[in-house]
Amino acid sequence: MQVNNNPWLALSTYEEKDEYRFKGRDADIGNMLTLLRQNEYVVCYAASGTGKSSLINAGICPKVRREGMFPVRIVFTSEEYAGKNLPFKEDGKHVDFDRLISDKMDQGIAAFRDEFIAGHQSAGDFEVSFEKLDRYGRYSVDSLWWKLRTEYIQISYGEYDYIPLLIFDQFEEVFHAKWKAEFFKWLEELSKDICPASIAEDFSGNAEDIPTQKLFKAIFSLRYEYVGELDYWCSQRTFVPQVMQNRYFLKPLTREQAISVIVEQNIDDEVSARIAEQSDVIVDNILAGSYDTGADDEVSPIVLSLICYVLYEAWNEDSGFSLNSISLGDLIYDYYRGQLNKVGMDDGARGVLESVLISSQNARLRVAVSDFRLQEIDIAQYMDETRPNIVASHIVKKVNSGGEDYIEFIHDRLVDAICKKRTEERKKSRYEDKVKKNMKLVYAVAAFVFTALFCVLTYSSLVPSTPEPAVREDAVPVNVLTLSRDDFDNLNRPDYANATSLRLGRDVNYCRNLVSCYQNVLTVYFGEGRYVVRYAGKAEKLAFAEKAHIDDLRIGENVRTVKIFYPENIGRLTCESNMTHVLVPFGYYEICAGLQAFENVHFEEMSLIRTFWEKLRWEVYAQHTHPFGIEANVPMWVAILFFYLMLIGMTVRYWRKYDRSDKIRLFGLSFSGILLLCIMAIELQWMGIFSHFYAGLAFSVVLLLWGLWSLAGYIRKRKLFDKFVQKSQHITRMKQSPISILYRSSAGKQHAIALKRYLVEQGMPDVDIRLDLSIERLGKFYPDVALSNALFSTRCIAIFHKEDLEDTDDNRRYWEIINVSRLIYPVVFGMESLDYLDWKGKIYRELSYMVAKRGGPKAFPALLVPDDDCLPSQGERLIQVLKRKISPYTKRTLKIILIFFGVYIALFVVPFVALMIFA
């Protein structure tokens, strides 16, 4: 790994020491300097993130210092904005701004002196002082108005007598201060060249000795949305014409300026060279995702700095990191959370930090480190310079004022990103609370229904009872034989021959794996393959479902239906009535025809569906198990459901990452899988693979699977396969993009950028749309890059321009790449119709077919857009199409197939099943 010497400052502003690497603003610096040389006051206004502070710190301050001006930053704390810790005049009611600004100037001068001495070991005698001019040395007037007209700043090693340059950065905060009205009155008095009456009355010298020329200048830097507020306070409430006249509007970087900022960074390392080489692609990606700027060629400096910072860090660790992995929509917030994770700040401490440093009006605050709320989260551990900290990570900046350290968030754009995310989280939380509240009733009803169904099914399966047979004129008298516990001491004692039905008494406490009484047939298992079978001789229905071997089976004349699940276990079969229906399972007709027992018996083969239904009815009754050998009967389906729910509980942390629709879908699929496993278990038992389902064994298997899963998670967490992870990291990121926008030419690239902006403005998440601007560079098409985007995307929006329809090698290659995608959404720009085209190549024919609203198996109907301005009128159709999962062509095909199967089932299957059931 290379040594990390990141030249980019992320969210931090450039300081005066960064003059050598502050690039791309030469014209703005020159214009500002011209205004400053010719005027006393200059107002610099711009949008947040445009680089006002960096322009002043690294662009203006070093140059004006060489021209005889001494920059002094006037920084107010949040307590001072709130009216606390301020000096007051003798009346105790009005703020003494002379003392306040003088103290700020003294602090700035002292900080410059300390910084200079710290950087120069031989500068022990270095001094910076405010000295009066000779002619005013004999006068002592306690007023900042007088001081800024009679004193120079003198430096031991300086070439000039410097005049102060007062820099009011973030001046918009003054408009939120309680004392703003007093401040502008003070500023009005300070700006007048006429001596204030209070000074003139106390002045004891000659009137001609009163100074009139200002020996200071001032820069007011604020966000552009506060310019109207500034006009109000400086023209209507007070009169400060200098502020009204001299203004400079700082615009974002142009595309050329942004590229020059990257290229001109003179850092000699491999990563910086790679960033410089990819500068046009980086800037074009920013332009494609810059949804908050007014023009298509404007680049926010803070976004440019942050992306270059992230790329430098990522490429130092992983050269395969893709620029498309950076989401511009939440870039600042993602960086903020990522840095907090590196620092080790948890969500609780983060919430406190945000609540302290952001006001209720969503403005950033400058708060003392000693604030008790910050002390509660031990803010010192997150500012420890011996480890990653929030200051070095460009999250907050630390300012010393009056001998005390203050911190604030590094930039207004970071505060805006945090507030936006907090608002989204509140909305989501309120929605989730509402859904939870509404779902409680649904859950309660579902729980009641499930519990009632569970009790009914469990009771009916554990204690089966045969209903009383209907009394007919030709039927024998009803004789229900209820077997008690005493009857099992001598199974031959009850009168089975005259019984019309059999049932088990409630006092029978035998395990269900040893005793069964199903459809008037009693089967008792004595171990080692020995069964005893008894049945009601005069019952209407009998079902021999166990594998018990019966040497001589005699069916009485009253029996109408006999179901024999294992015909091969019957030694001899005799039916006293010709009206008795003997039913055997599906697939046993030829087997029974070859058995001697069925030679003189009329038997029928059940259908496949009825065979499965009869097996399922038997298993619901018969399948019970002993959990861990405990003498308790539990139905098989109850045990399986229990294990399934237990498995879900073990893996609940993996389910949490999915949204509700995915959870429902996954739950349905997994539950369907469990049902299929149950069916498989039934079939395996009928095939003789095993005899019973054991809950203890199933529980052990579940624990084993959970243990293996946890072990795999531990291995993954410990990064024991880092080499494999690093190799597959790039592909993993690529797979996460649902939609890719592909293009072939430079004209198509511009349309792709406009299309992505439109889709994001319509509410589609930025992270769901990948637009790789390196597919086409400098007029050259790179098919490998386009192919990688098509391969690792679920869907593909294919951009076509008029030139892309010609039958050339590049266009044919582009068409082949597009068809790799699972779903294609063609968008043709620059044409209202394809009819007037002269060439008739393959691409033209395919698109003509798609334009006719027919699409294809993988392609949706093509959308014709004459130009980018027509997107709002036609894009709604594209958005509707993007929400669909299958193309209209495939949808029609599926409809035809479903209709065919529906007709087939209605005409053949349903009558056959009905005939088998009700026959």
Side-chain angles (χ1 to χ4, degrees):
M1 184 188 298
Q2 301 179 8
V3 178
N4 192 345
N5 187 26
N6 200 326
W8 301 95
L9 302 183
L11 298 176
S12 296
T13 56
Y14 287 88
E15 301 298 335
E16 191 170 345
K17 65 180 183 300
D18 301 314
E19 177 189 11
Y20 72 97
R21 57 178 177 176
F22 183 68
K23 308 294 182 180
R25 290 294 195 183
D26 295 339
D28 297 307
I29 294 173
N31 295 335
M32 279 283 292
L33 286 175
T34 300
L35 283 175
L36 198 58
R37 293 186 188 112
Q38 297 174 357
N39 303 280
E40 298 164 349
Y41 292 173
V42 174
V43 176
C44 178
Y45 62 99
S48 177
T50 310
K52 303 182 297 296
S53 299
S54 296
L55 176 71
I56 295 172
N57 295 341
I60 303 297
C61 289
K63 291 178 172 55
V64 298
R65 200 181 294 278
R66 292 191 285 268
E67 296 183 8
M69 301 182 204
F70 190 94
V72 180
R73 294 170 183 81
I74 308 300
V75 180
F76 299 106
T77 65
S78 299
E79 289 83 358
E80 291 171 338
Y81 283 125
K84 302 176 183 178
N85 302 329
L86 293 172
F88 288 89
K89 296 181 180 179
E90 294 180 357
D91 58 7
K93 297 180 180 180
H94 298 91
V95 179
D96 190 346
F97 285 102
D98 282 358
R99 285 175 54 195
L100 179 62
I101 302 301
S102 295
D103 292 342
K104 299 294 182 184
M105 292 177 63
D106 292 341
Q107 293 171 10
I109 292 172
F112 174 79
R113 178 182 179 278
D114 295 341
E115 184 179 349
F116 186 89
I117 293 176
H120 300 79
Q121 297 180 357
S122 60
D125 57 345
F126 180 78
E127 291 293 338
V128 183
S129 60
F130 242 151
E131 295 291 339
K132 291 184 179 181
L133 300 177
D134 292 341
R135 58 180 292 197
Y136 300 110
R138 60 184 181 275
Y139 302 117
S140 177
V141 179
D142 187 16
S143 171
L144 188 61
W145 184 95
W146 183 276
K147 188 174 184 178
L148 292 177
R149 287 166 172 79
T150 61
E151 297 184 11
Y152 282 111
I153 296 178
Q154 295 184 355
I155 303 178
S156 299
Y157 304 151
E159 301 176 3
Y160 308 95
D161 288 334
Y162 295 86
I163 65 172
L165 172 61
L166 305 182
I167 299 175
F168 293 89
D169 199 4
Q170 301 174 32
F171 190 68
E172 65 272 5
E173 297 295 337
V174 173
F175 299 120
H176 300 293
K178 293 184 176 181
W179 35 260
K180 57 180 177 290
E182 295 182 58
F183 175 83
F184 280 101
K185 290 180 181 178
W186 169 85
L187 182 62
E188 179 185 29
E189 183 178 278
L190 181 70
S191 305
K192 291 180 179 178
D193 291 332
I194 301 174
C195 181
S198 58
I199 298 177
E201 292 176 359
D202 298 337
F203 185 67
S204 58
N206 297 322
E208 58 269 15
D209 288 337
I210 296 178
T212 57
Q213 181 181 3
K214 295 184 181 70
L215 295 181
F216 75 97
K217 292 179 182 290
I219 295 177
F220 300 90
S221 172
L222 72 161
R223 292 162 65 166
Y224 75 92
E225 58 262 34
Y226 288 91
V227 171
E229 192 86 4
L230 182 66
D231 290 342
Y232 170 75
W233 285 100
C234 293
S235 63
Q236 299 183 39
R237 295 293 296 270
T238 60
F239 185 65
V240 187
Q242 300 93 325
V243 175
M244 301 288 296
Q245 298 166 0
N246 310 311
R247 295 178 177 176
Y248 188 76
F249 185 22
L250 183 64
K251 296 288 287 181
L253 296 169
T254 63
R255 183 179 184 275
E256 291 72 20
Q257 285 178 317
I259 292 176
S260 68
V261 169
I262 300 176
V263 174
E264 294 175 10
Q265 287 293 334
N266 298 320
I267 305 297
D268 187 16
D269 62 63
E270 183 180 347
V271 177
S272 293
R274 183 179 177 185
I275 292 177
E277 181 183 353
Q278 299 283 330
S279 58
D280 57 333
V281 178
I282 294 172
V283 173
D284 287 340
N285 268 280
I286 297 174
L287 289 173
S290 298
Y291 316 109
D292 56 346
T293 56
D296 293 344
D297 62 342
E298 293 181 349
V299 179
S300 173
I302 191 171
V303 174
L304 177 66
S305 177
L306 184 53
I307 283 187
C308 291
Y309 177 91
V310 172
L311 279 177
Y312 192 96
E313 294 286 328
W315 282 344
N316 256 305
E317 298 179 359
D318 177 14
S319 60
F321 182 83
S322 172
L323 178 61
N324 295 304
S325 302
I326 303 175
S327 170
L328 295 179
D330 293 324
L331 173 66
I332 296 177
Y333 188 79
D334 291 343
Y335 165 79
Y336 163 70
R337 291 301 300 270
Q339 293 300 317
L340 288 187
N341 290 336
K342 291 181 181 179
V343 171
M345 181 176 290
D346 57 23
D347 289 342
R350 174 179 63 86
V352 173
L353 184 70
E354 293 175 358
S355 64
V356 173
L357 299 186
I358 301 177
S359 69
S360 57
Q361 289 78 29
N362 294 338
R364 62 171 167 161
L365 303 175
R366 186 178 295 113
V367 180
V369 176
S370 59
D371 186 283
F372 73 95
R373 295 167 296 179
L374 296 178
Q375 293 302 314
E376 287 180 354
I377 63 172
D378 193 11
I379 193 65
Q381 67 170 319
Y382 303 116
M383 299 174 63
D384 185 1
E385 297 181 357
T386 62
R387 57 188 293 270
N389 60 83
I390 56 178
V391 178
S393 300
H394 309 288
I395 296 299
V396 303
K397 63 180 177 181
K398 183 172 66 173
V399 180
N400 187 279
S401 178
E404 186 171 6
D405 289 334
Y406 290 80
I407 61 171
E408 63 177 334
F409 278 121
I410 198 72
H411 204 279
D412 287 333
R413 287 290 292 271
L414 174 58
V415 174
D416 294 341
I418 294 173
C419 294
K420 177 183 176 182
K421 187 60 68 172
R422 287 166 65 183
T423 302
E424 293 176 356
E425 290 176 351
R426 289 195 199 101
K427 290 182 179 178
K428 183 178 179 181
S429 177
R430 286 197 294 267
Y431 174 76
E432 290 177 349
D433 291 342
K434 183 178 179 181
V435 170
K436 289 179 180 178
K437 185 177 180 180
N438 294 335
M439 290 300 291
K440 285 182 178 179
L441 179 61
V442 177
Y443 291 149
V445 174
F448 174 78
V449 172
F450 179 80
T451 304
L453 184 62
F454 176 85
C455 294
V456 171
L457 291 178
T458 303
Y459 176 81
S460 62
S461 62
L462 289 177
V463 187
S465 59
T466 305
E468 298 291 343
V471 179
R472 304 196 314 252
E473 294 181 359
D474 58 343
V476 297
V478 174
N479 182 15
V480 178
L481 180 57
T482 302
L483 300 173
S484 64
R485 183 172 183 178
D486 296 336
D487 294 328
F488 283 88
D489 296 335
N490 185 1
L491 288 175
N492 294 322
R493 182 172 55 194
D495 184 10
Y496 301 104
N498 295 318
T500 56
S501 63
L502 293 182
R503 67 175 61 174
L504 293 177
R506 296 181 180 274
D507 61 338
V508 176
N509 197 25
Y510 284 87
C511 174
R512 196 54 79 73
N513 289 334
L514 302 178
V515 177
S516 66
C517 184
Y518 181 69
Q519 291 192 13
N520 302 317
V521 177
L522 174 68
T523 305
V524 182
Y525 180 64
F526 288 95
E528 299 180 358
R530 294 185 301 108
Y531 290 87
V532 174
V533 180
R534 299 289 185 268
Y535 53 93
K538 295 184 179 181
E540 290 189 355
K541 293 182 180 180
L542 297 176
F544 295 88
E546 291 279 11
K547 290 185 178 181
H549 182 80
I550 306 175
D551 294 329
D552 188 5
L553 180 58
R554 297 179 179 274
I555 306 301
E557 62 178 356
N558 194 55
V559 179
R560 296 289 181 264
T561 304
V562 179
K563 287 173 281 190
I564 303 176
F565 288 10
Y566 298 94
E568 66 273 15
N569 291 336
I570 306 299
R572 181 181 178 186
L573 177 61
T574 304
C575 295
E576 297 181 1
S577 173
N578 294 330
M579 303 297 296
T580 302
H581 294 275
V582 178
L583 303 178
V584 297
F586 179 81
Y588 273 79
Y589 185 86
E590 295 182 358
I591 297 175
C592 293
L595 294 176
Q596 185 177 2
F598 289 85
E599 288 181 355
N600 300 319
V601 177
H602 175 71
F603 61 91
E604 300 175 11
E605 184 185 57
M606 292 184 289
S607 66
L608 177 63
I609 297 177
R610 185 172 182 182
T611 300
F612 177 76
W613 172 249
E614 294 294 343
K615 288 182 181 181
L616 187 62
R617 290 179 61 188
W618 160 248
E619 295 297 338
V620 170
Y621 164 78
Q623 278 292 351
H624 295 77
T625 184
H626 296 266
F628 305 107
I630 301 175
E631 289 294 331
N633 293 323
V634 179
M636 175 185 176
W637 65 273
V638 174
I640 291 178
L641 180 62
F642 170 75
F643 295 133
Y644 174 67
L645 295 177
M646 184 177 62
L647 184 61
I648 290 179
M650 291 177 177
T651 59
V652 66
R653 58 185 177 137
Y654 301 102
W655 290 65
R656 288 174 181 169
K657 63 182 180 181
Y658 299 105
D659 57 22
R660 186 189 308 166
S661 60
D662 289 335
K663 287 178 181 177
I664 294 174
R665 183 165 58 253
L666 289 174
F667 185 87
L669 290 174
S670 58
F671 193 74
S672 301
I674 291 293
L675 292 179
L676 290 176
L677 288 177
C678 291
I679 295 173
M680 185 184 299
I682 293 174
E683 292 299 327
L684 290 176
Q685 181 178 344
W686 276 75
M687 293 169 61
I689 304 300
F690 62 86
S691 58
H692 295 287
F693 176 81
Y694 294 99
L697 177 61
F699 184 71
S700 302
V701 171
V702 170
L703 287 180
L704 177 62
L705 292 176
W706 178 67
L708 293 175
W709 185 266
S710 301
L711 179 61
Y714 174 82
I715 294 174
R716 186 168 57 252
K717 183 178 180 181
R718 294 294 179 179
K719 299 181 179 179
L720 300 182
F721 298 106
D722 269 352
K723 292 183 179 179
F724 173 77
V725 171
Q726 290 174 1
K727 288 181 180 179
S728 62
Q729 220 169 23
H730 178 61
I731 296 178
T732 302
R733 295 192 191 101
M734 294 284 286
K735 288 182 179 178
Q736 294 175 353
S737 179
I739 301 175
S740 279
I741 301 181
L742 300 185
Y743 56 91
R744 200 208 67 76
S745 59
S746 57
K749 178 191 249 184
Q750 300 307 316
H751 293 311
I753 293 173
L755 178 60
K756 180 176 180 180
R757 288 192 178 198
Y758 170 78
L759 294 176
V760 174
E761 288 171 358
Q762 297 304 311
M764 294 191 67
D766 179 29
V767 294
D768 289 349
I769 308 173
R770 181 194 299 125
L771 175 57
D772 192 337
L773 298 182
S774 59
I775 295 175
E776 187 277 338
R777 291 184 61 194
L778 303 177
K780 184 178 179 181
F781 174 57
Y782 292 89
D784 293 341
V785 180
L787 180 61
S788 66
N789 282 269
L791 282 173
F792 299 109
S793 297
T794 307
R795 294 174 285 176
C796 166
I797 300 178
I799 301 296
F800 292 91
H801 197 64
K802 183 177 181 180
E803 292 79 6
D804 300 330
L805 304 182
E806 298 181 15
D807 198 14
T808 62
D809 291 339
D810 275 353
N811 287 337
R812 285 193 295 270
R813 177 64 173 153
Y814 177 48
W815 184 259
E816 292 172 357
I817 292 171
I818 290 171
N819 279 280
V820 171
S821 179
R822 192 179 74 179
L823 294 176
I824 309 169
Y825 304 89
V827 182
V828 184
F829 281 90
M831 286 173 284
E832 296 181 359
S833 173
L834 300 179
D835 296 338
Y836 66 90
L837 296 179
D838 297 332
W839 53 85
K840 303 293 182 180
K842 177 182 177 181
I843 301 177
Y844 167 82
R845 291 194 302 271
E846 293 285 350
L847 280 178
S848 297
Y849 181 80
M850 295 177 190
V851 168
K853 297 183 180 180
R854 286 177 289 186
K858 296 196 303 180
F860 283 76
L863 180 67
L864 295 178
V865 182
D867 52 59
D868 294 342
D869 295 335
C870 296
L871 271 175
S873 60
Q874 301 193 36
E876 184 177 351
R877 174 188 157 198
L878 177 61
I879 293 176
Q880 292 176 352
V881 168
L882 287 173
K883 295 179 180 178
R884 299 172 187 169
K885 302 299 183 182
I886 57 176
S887 69
Y889 180 94
T890 306
K891 189 175 181 180
R892 284 196 300 271
T893 304
L894 291 176
K895 282 184 177 179
I896 294 173
I897 294 174
L898 290 176
I899 291 174
F900 173 78
F901 275 105
V903 172
Y904 173 79
I905 292 172
L907 295 179
F908 299 99
V909 178
V910 173
F912 179 75
V913 173
L915 181 63
M916 291 297 100
I917 293 177
F918 300 107

